[in-house]
Amino acid sequence: MIQNLLTMIPGPTPVHESILAELSRPTTSHQDPAFVRAFRECLGELQRIAMAGSAQPFMVAGSGTLAMEMALVNLVRPEDKLLILSQGFFGDRYAQLAEAFGLRFELVQAEWGRATPPEELERRLTRGGYAAVAMTHVDTSTGAAAPIESYCSLLRGREELIILDGVCATGGMEERFDEWGLDVLLTGAQKALGAPPGLALLLVSPRALQKRRSSSDVRAYYADLLRWLPIMEDPARYFSTPPVNEVVALRAALRILSEEGLPARFLRHSRIARAIRAGLGAAGLELFTAPDCLADTLSVVRYATEVDDATFRTEMARRRVIVAGGLGPIAGKAFRIGHMGNIGTEEVCRLLQAVEGSLMHAGRKIDSGVSLAAAAPHLDG
Ligand code: PMP
């Protein structure tokens, strides 16, 4: 799926040509039976991907941030207290949303590049008083994956609702909604699912939906889960126009996922992550993220002191490979590579070649081809 311009940022990710072809089909009525079937298929696939047989799926035009907003605004009441476990820029966004809606919250910020240790959650839970705990599977700013399964086992059998941001993980790293006892898993179409941006996706547990049903003063209209529920049950009904082409494109992306199979897909993501990291290491680069928190979906890479961020990324772009800059405190000091969705060996090779070339351009001494040689053993398996 080599495209002339290779977008290796942590979302949006490269979109397979077969998905782009679906996007360009004639726009139909949202009541067209074929569209209604596509919509239903997407909802069913979302449940399957997250092993969420018990959950109600939602699919709404918007992005990951809308999904975060929907989770908080529907499920956290003004009298509640929300505990936020943040490992970076996007975890902190939960706190900004809570502030915007006047919700009470406690924010636990992990050191950048690390995740909050489960012991810290345990300590906070002993004090109690939370109605929900919001967490991020992978924070796209730091590349750190949180120990979600450990958090969830501490929360098992308790009252607090568990809200998980899977934007940078769902479809690329394993998430077991029912087994982990999640109440909300939220994501967007544009990352590990490999579809174009434009859809906010949520899975919501029966007890979370029950809480929404029993809340009378939810400050939302478009973001109100109850306005969307009838559409999820019968997509031929109308509340607000669905992005018809985008839904059909997502269906194509989810079919690719289903054909590949979840275990194979997760394995491919971890193999590609190892290959890229072996290649970067051989080129003399170090990761920003703590080794025990590494996610399979992106790498956050430190610059050597003499390499200038803008010059490096401009050189990468000249080689038709786009990587992302650092966010927040690591802006200018690190760059971010997305490696999720439908990428494979060819994209990894092109990325590493561009990194080598751009570093050499910045004056680093590297033996040409070392990074590819280091990556190769991981790509063969
Ligand atoms: N959460 C995480 C972990 C993200 O990476 C992002 C986007 N990079 C968001 C939330 C927000 O998603 P969006 O940009 O689609 O609104």
Side-chain angles (χ1 to χ4, degrees):
M1 199 229 334
I2 288 280
Q3 283 158 358
N4 181 24
L5 182 67
L6 183 57
T7 305
M8 295 288 281
I9 63 172
T13 56
V15 179
H16 196 284
E17 274 144 20
S18 63
I19 302 172
L20 290 175
E22 290 293 316
L23 200 57
S24 67
R25 279 173 184 267
T27 302
T28 63
S29 156
H30 59 284
Q31 291 176 322
D32 184 301
F35 173 73
V36 171
R37 276 198 302 278
F39 199 107
R40 284 192 197 284
E41 190 177 327
C42 289
L43 297 183
E45 282 300 309
L46 286 174
Q47 273 186 311
R48 205 184 55 78
I49 289 164
M51 298 172 225
S54 75
Q56 171 63 52
F58 289 85
M59 176 166 62
V60 174
S63 69
T65 306
L66 174 68
M68 294 173 80
E69 182 164 323
M70 288 173 83
L72 296 200
V73 89
N74 281 278
L75 303 176
V76 184
R77 294 175 178 154
E79 69 272 21
D80 287 344
K81 193 159 73 177
L82 171 70
L83 177 64
I84 300 168
L85 305 180
S86 169
Q87 70 255 21
F89 184 91
F90 291 101
D92 291 355
R93 181 166 287 190
Y94 277 129
Q96 291 162 7
L97 282 161
E99 266 167 12
F101 291 99
L103 304 174
R104 297 193 304 142
F105 66 92
E106 252 174 56
L107 173 63
V108 180
Q109 288 173 306
E111 187 189 330
W112 267 55
R114 298 184 177 276
T116 303
E119 298 72 37
E120 177 60 25
L121 172 61
E122 196 170 14
R123 212 171 59 75
R124 302 255 172 177
L125 291 179
T126 320
R127 268 196 265 145
Y130 306 109
V133 182
M135 48 188 83
T136 313
H137 196 165
V138 174
D139 202 300
T140 321
S141 59
T142 65
I148 301 299
E149 215 174 332
S150 303
Y151 295 165
C152 289
S153 58
L154 291 170
L155 286 157
R156 183 150 305 133
R158 296 182 56 108
E159 300 271 288
E160 297 88 352
L161 295 182
I162 309 178
I163 299 170
L164 177 62
D165 172 349
V167 172
C168 197
T170 307
M173 289 169 68
E174 190 174 67
E175 291 170 329
R176 296 177 168 270
F177 189 99
D178 288 336
E179 199 181 306
W180 294 356
L182 299 180
D183 290 291
V184 176
L185 174 63
L186 62 95
T187 192
Q190 76 274 19
K191 301 223 182 194
L193 298 177
L199 285 166
L201 307 166
L202 299 99
L203 290 152
V204 180
S205 74
R207 75 167 179 166
L209 217 45
Q210 189 47 42
K211 179 166 184 185
R212 167 61 196 94
R213 281 200 181 94
S214 62
S215 304
S216 51
D217 58 348
V218 164
R219 305 280 161 84
Y221 183 78
Y222 185 80
D224 186 349
L225 289 175
L226 287 193
R227 290 189 194 275
W228 285 108
L229 189 57
I231 315 309
M232 301 307 128
E233 288 165 351
D234 176 7
R237 298 174 72 171
Y238 169 77
F239 166 51
S240 169
T241 308
V244 174
N245 300 63
E246 168 64 27
V247 169
V248 172
L250 178 68
R251 187 213 6 213
L254 296 176
R255 281 185 174 171
I256 290 179
L257 210 138
S258 161
E259 272 162 33
E260 184 174 13
L262 282 179
R265 190 168 178 98
F266 298 147
L267 201 65
R268 174 171 59 78
H269 277 78
S270 77
R271 255 193 315 110
I272 284 178
R274 273 184 277 123
I276 288 177
R277 287 163 190 165
L280 295 171
L285 292 169
E286 284 176 10
L287 298 180
F288 169 76
T289 316
D292 57 342
C293 298
L294 289 172
D296 288 339
T297 46
L298 84 159
S299 294
V300 181
V301 191
R302 287 180 197 279
Y303 283 118
T305 42
E306 73 271 25
V307 180
D308 171 68
D309 177 38
T311 315
F312 174 78
R313 287 193 293 127
T314 305
E315 266 310 300
M316 290 289 287
R318 218 172 51 78
R319 290 167 167 79
R320 311 292 291 153
V321 180
I322 307 298
V323 292
L327 286 174
I330 57 170
K333 297 179 190 148
F335 66 100
R336 298 175 301 140
I337 302 169
H339 36 79
M340 60 190 133
N342 294 316
I343 60 157
T345 300
E346 286 172 89
E347 285 81 2
V348 173
C349 294
R350 231 179 105 184
L351 166 84
L352 290 174
Q353 271 168 342
V355 169
E356 268 192 10
S358 304
L359 287 175
M360 286 188 213
H361 182 266
R364 297 273 289 184
K365 299 255 176 300
I366 302 172
D367 291 332
S368 185
V370 279
S371 57
L372 281 185
H378 301 281
L379 291 170
D380 290 337

